[in-house]
Amino acid sequence: MNKELRQAIIAGNWKMNKTRPEARALIEELKPIAAEATCGVVICVPFTNLETAVELTKGTNIKVGAENVHFEEKGAFTGEISAAMLTEIGVEYVIIGHSERRQYFGETDETVNKRTKAALKAGLKPIVCVGELLWERECNITEEVIARQIKLDLYDVSAEDVKKTVIAYEPVWAIGTGKTASAAQAQEVCAFIRATLAKLYSKEVADAVTIQYGGSMNPGNAAELVAQPDVDGGLIGGASLKAADFGVLLKAASEG
Ligand code: PEP
């Protein structure tokens, strides 16, 4: 299964949730729960909570991520944040190409690729999201869609850098909808992503990459999903907003 060749990571995606006092409370509640985990633990929080999260998680096993990053180093890009702005405050991860960014903010594979390269250049670990629409799954083109996203999103990313990159397989129809891909569906696509990486790079590289599942993962379904041979943890929206629920997922991935 080669699961020992890579780290399983549970990453929370808080999206546009939590004021600063709410973020403080959630992180304080999460700290003792996360301390039990042997999998990687990441919380990706809104820009306004990043400094608070970095400060509160110092000396713990919780790593902090942002939810987006711009590809230019600086300049006239109103409302955007550069990779250096994130690393200088201690941010280690960044979500790139989340389906909500693609759907509502015009994110394309080209900009996902640029953001991924900018993040890696600055020393951030990107969590690159890929996934098919329901319509694409119904038309039986899931693999074509995923292969295209992987090729374009990782274009010109070196083998060394791709090993630092986390891929999150997030079927768009399963995000925030309560509909989860079955464990078999998640395994099938995560294995396909790994096979695509093996073709583009090598088996050694593919075996080293963390490939998460994301889409309505919750305390009830996490254990079966993360036990799949090619599923290395998850990217978690709703269930990352409650420490107890997130804790169940951390336990599942630590044991999976
Ligand atoms: C996500 O936002 O990446 C996600 C998977 O959300 P949810 O867990 O709420 O479906």
Side-chain angles (χ1 to χ4, degrees):
M1 292 218 290
N2 296 336
K3 272 201 147 180
E4 67 289 350
L5 299 176
R6 51 195 176 256
Q7 189 189 29
I9 299 174
I10 293 286
N13 173 15
W14 287 11
K15 312 193 186 192
M16 196 172 72
N17 291 297
K18 304 292 175 190
T19 60
R20 199 177 327 200
E22 289 168 348
R24 280 185 175 278
L26 177 53
I27 293 168
E28 290 301 354
E29 204 185 337
L30 196 57
K31 280 202 270 192
I33 297 173
E36 308 283 315
T38 53
C39 65
V41 186
V42 180
I43 51 171
C44 299
V45 306
F47 289 132
T48 52
N49 286 328
L50 285 171
E51 281 195 273
T52 304
V54 169
E55 193 56 39
L56 291 182
T57 57
K58 271 198 186 124
T60 76
N61 61 333
I62 304 174
K63 312 277 187 202
V64 176
E67 298 177 15
N68 194 18
V69 63
H70 194 60
F71 41 84
E72 294 294 345
E73 285 178 10
K74 60 178 154 182
F77 301 100
T78 303
E80 294 289 329
I81 302 280
S82 76
M85 290 170 181
L86 297 176
T87 53
E88 78 174 353
I89 59 167
V91 172
E92 293 181 57
Y93 285 82
V94 61
I95 298 173
I96 297 178
H98 190 278
S99 64
E100 286 150 18
R101 300 291 320 168
R102 294 179 192 253
Q103 190 178 346
Y104 305 130
F105 302 99
E107 200 76 61
T108 64
D109 288 310
E110 187 183 2
T111 57
V112 170
N113 175 248
K114 285 177 164 182
R115 290 177 205 267
T116 301
K117 287 191 285 197
L120 285 161
K121 191 173 168 202
L124 287 168
K125 294 188 185 118
I127 301 174
V128 176
C129 303
V130 297
E132 80 286 1
L133 306 172
L134 182 57
W135 163 241
E136 291 165 334
R137 177 164 280 268
E138 286 170 352
C139 291
N140 212 15
I141 60 165
T142 298
E143 291 193 351
E144 276 166 68
V145 171
I146 300 293
R148 180 184 157 86
Q149 289 176 337
I150 292 287
K151 282 181 199 164
L152 295 177
D153 296 353
L154 299 179
Y155 173 72
D156 211 16
V157 173
S158 70
E160 197 186 320
D161 275 348
V162 90
K163 287 187 191 175
K164 297 174 199 154
T165 302
V166 175
I167 311 279
Y169 166 55
E170 299 212 307
V172 180
W173 47 271
I175 297 175
T177 58
K179 278 190 194 168
T180 319
S182 67
Q185 285 171 325
Q187 165 58 22
E188 189 179 24
V189 181
C190 289
F192 176 75
I193 292 172
R194 204 174 304 285
T196 305
L197 292 173
K199 270 193 215 151
L200 292 173
Y201 297 92
S202 68
K203 182 169 183 320
E204 185 254 327
V205 170
D207 279 341
V209 176
T210 298
I211 302 177
Q212 301 172 317
Y213 167 77
S216 300
M217 199 189 276
N218 62 51
N221 60 28
E224 196 188 358
L225 285 161
V226 300
Q228 300 305 307
D230 286 287
V231 178
D232 310 313
L235 181 57
I236 319 298
S240 71
L241 298 174
K242 287 188 186 146
D245 286 358
F246 199 59
V248 176
L249 274 49
L250 293 175
K251 191 164 184 285
S254 299
E255 290 166 359

